[in-house]
Amino acid sequence: MRLFTSALLAAGASVATALVPAMASDTATQPKAASPIYGVTIPEGYRAWQLVAPAQEAAPLDELRAIVGNTTAIKAYQAGTLPFPDGTILVKLAWKHTQSPEFATASVPGAATTVQIMVKDSKRYAATGGWGFGRFVNGKPADQAQHETCWGCHQALVADRDYVFTRYAP
Amino acid sequence: MRLFTSALLAAGASVATALVPAMASDTATQPKAASPIYGVTIPEGYRAWQLVAPAQEAAPLDELRAIVGNTTAIKAYQAGTLPFPDGTILVKLAWKHTQSPEFATASVPGAATTVQIMVKDSKRYAATGGWGFGRFVNGKPADQAQHETCWGCHQALVADRDYVFTRYAP
C-alpha cells in the first residue's frame, strides 16, 4: 500500500482533480441519510473495520452485537488514549440473537437490526462530550426522539471512559 | 501489496534465497507452538482481520465469540465461494460471557479463553476435508485428544458448507 500511495502522490494534483468531481457527483446522486440532531452518516467501508469487541443484549432486544472501529479508534484503544481523538468512529452492528441451526449450544446472528455510530468531533459536538450519534435501521436514521436518548445514557454511565461503553477485547 | 509482491517477484531468486535463512533463524529463536496432528500455528496479525460474525456459546463454556477471517476467507464468504480456496484462514476468538459492569441488559467479553483456527490446504489436509485445525489456550496448543474431536464434528454437522459452521453476518 505504501508504494501505491506514493505512486498516487507522485502523480500529483491532476489525479486529485480528476477524482474529486466524480466523488461529488456520486454523493449528489445518492445523498446519504444523516441522523437527526447530529447529522451522522453511515461511514463507508465500516464492515471491514477491526473488531473492538462482541457483545450480547438481553431481551427484549435479544441481540448479538459487534463493535468495530476505524484506525483512529483502534489505535486509541490499543494505546489506552482517553479521551478518544477527533476522527474516532465506532460502529455497533446488531443482529437478532438466534439459535444455531447446526449446534445446540451455539447462538448466531439472525436478521440485522440496527447500526449505531459514534463520531468524535470535539468542536462540532462540544455540547455532547465531543460525540455525535447515529442510529440506523435498514440504512435509514431513527427518529429524533430516539436520538435524544443517546447522550444522557452515555453521559450518566460511562463519563470516566470518554462516554464509550465498549472496551477492547484482547 | 500487489506492487510490493510484484517487486519481490521481479527481484527473483536472490531475494528468496536471502529471506529464507533469515526466516528460518527467526523461527529457530522463537519457535511457534503448533497444534498436534495438524501443525497449525496462530497466524500473525489475526486480531486485525475482518469480522465474519459474532457468536455465543451457552453453559458450561458460557462464552462470547467472534470469528474473523483473512482476506482469502472474506472474499470467499462475500462471493459465496464453496469450497473455500486454499489459503483461507478462519480464527475464532472466545471470551467468558460476562455481565457488563455499566449496563444491566448487556453482556461483554471477560477473560479470553481459547483461540481456534481453521486453515484450508486441500493437499496437506486432504484426509480432513482440506482443513487443518488448531486450538490454543494462552497461546499454547491444546492436547492431541482435543484435536482429535475437531474433524468428526465439522464433518458430521456442516459438510454441505465445506465443513465451516460460521456464516457471514452482513
Side-chain angles (χ1 to χ4, degrees):
Chain A
M1 278 309 290
R2 200 165 278 191
L3 283 181
F4 183 61
T5 307
S6 301
L8 268 188
L9 290 175
S14 61
V15 171
T17 310
L19 286 175
V20 169
M23 290 168 64
S25 167
D26 286 345
T27 306
T29 52
Q30 297 185 326
K32 278 191 171 183
S35 65
I37 305 174
Y38 301 102
V40 165
T41 56
I42 298 176
E44 288 295 324
Y46 73 91
R47 186 59 186 78
W49 290 358
Q50 185 171 333
L51 177 74
V52 179
Q56 187 200 352
E57 179 71 24
L61 285 178
D62 196 24
E63 292 178 341
L64 280 178
R65 296 169 163 194
I67 294 83
V68 300
N70 66 356
T71 305
T72 304
I74 298 297
K75 281 185 182 169
Y77 269 117
Q78 293 179 336
T81 303
L82 284 180
F84 286 89
D86 281 3
T88 294
I89 309 179
L90 299 170
V91 179
K92 178 164 66 184
L93 301 84
W95 303 268
K96 275 292 174 189
H97 179 266
T98 305
Q99 170 65 46
S100 162
E102 293 97 5
F103 206 83
T105 54
S107 298
V108 298
T113 56
T114 60
V115 171
Q116 298 183 70
I117 299 157
M118 291 177 68
V119 175
K120 189 70 181 277
D121 184 331
S122 54
K123 290 199 181 73
R124 180 174 181 186
Y125 303 121
T128 50
W131 291 101
F133 298 85
R135 187 171 197 272
F136 295 83
V137 176
N138 292 327
K140 310 286 183 202
D143 62 20
Q144 176 158 341
Q146 288 192 48
H147 282 84
E148 283 167 352
T149 69
C150 305
W151 169 237
C153 187
H154 284 257
Q155 181 182 29
L157 298 180
V158 280
D160 60 336
R161 288 209 311 284
D162 194 26
Y163 313 107
V164 172
F165 281 96
T166 306
R167 293 169 173 84
Y168 186 85
Chain B
M1 279 309 291
R2 200 165 280 190
L3 284 182
F4 183 61
T5 307
S6 301
L8 268 186
L9 289 175
S14 61
V15 170
T17 311
L19 284 177
V20 168
M23 289 169 64
S25 167
D26 287 344
T27 306
T29 52
Q30 296 185 327
K32 276 193 171 180
S35 65
I37 306 174
Y38 301 102
V40 166
T41 56
I42 297 176
E44 288 294 323
Y46 73 90
R47 185 59 185 77
W49 290 358
Q50 184 170 334
L51 177 74
V52 179
Q56 187 199 353
E57 178 71 23
L61 285 178
D62 196 25
E63 292 178 341
L64 279 178
R65 296 171 163 192
I67 293 82
V68 299
N70 67 356
T71 305
T72 304
I74 298 296
K75 280 185 183 168
Y77 269 117
Q78 292 178 337
T81 304
L82 283 180
F84 287 89
D86 281 2
T88 293
I89 309 179
L90 299 170
V91 179
K92 179 164 66 185
L93 301 84
W95 303 268
K96 275 292 175 188
H97 179 265
T98 305
Q99 171 64 47
S100 162
E102 293 96 5
F103 205 84
T105 53
S107 299
V108 297
T113 56
T114 59
V115 171
Q116 298 183 71
I117 299 157
M118 292 178 67
V119 175
K120 188 71 181 276
D121 184 331
S122 53
K123 290 199 180 74
R124 181 175 179 186
Y125 302 120
T128 50
W131 292 101
F133 298 86
R135 186 170 197 272
F136 295 82
V137 177
N138 292 325
K140 311 287 184 200
D143 62 19
Q144 177 157 343
Q146 287 191 48
H147 283 85
E148 283 168 351
T149 68
C150 306
W151 169 237
C153 187
H154 284 257
Q155 181 182 30
L157 298 179
V158 280
D160 60 336
R161 288 208 311 284
D162 194 26
Y163 313 107
V164 172
F165 281 96
T166 305
R167 294 169 173 84
Y168 187 85

